[in-house]
Amino acid sequence: MKAFQYEAAKASWTWVSDVPKALVFFIGLAELLGVIGLILPQATKIAPVLTPTAAAGLAAIVLFGAVFHIMRGEYRQIVVNIIFLAFALFVAIGRLKWMQS
């Protein structure tokens, strides 16, 4: 939604109105590419090393989002960030261990 439905994102999240539209698009695009990077390499068996790399990148994006929400005092938003951070780290660590065995 952040990448391609700016008005819907603006209606859903208050922070969207406070940052440049280009930043919202960039965040959405980075998240979308990260999710594609989680799925495609492992599913196609082409460069599966990209799966934990994408998961680590998504973890970084989510962590930066959590810091952003802490700075704004939006503590309810942080719960979602923590859940996504845990999932991304689980995939990153799990796939790295799987590749090493």
Side-chain angles (χ1 to χ4, degrees), residues 15-77:
W15 65 267
V16 173
S17 300
D18 298 335
V19 298
K21 184 177 180 179
L23 179 60
V24 176
F25 176 77
F26 175 76
I27 293 167
L29 191 61
E31 290 173 346
L32 182 61
L33 291 174
V35 169
I36 290 169
L38 283 178
I39 298 167
L40 280 183
Q42 197 66 40
T44 61
K45 305 284 191 244
I46 299 172
V49 70
L50 294 177
T51 297
T53 305
L58 277 174
I61 291 169
V62 172
L63 183 61
F64 291 140
V67 170
F68 174 78
H69 290 303
I70 289 170
M71 290 172 50
R72 292 174 50 91
E74 299 170 340
Y75 301 109
R76 297 173 89 195
Q77 301 277 349

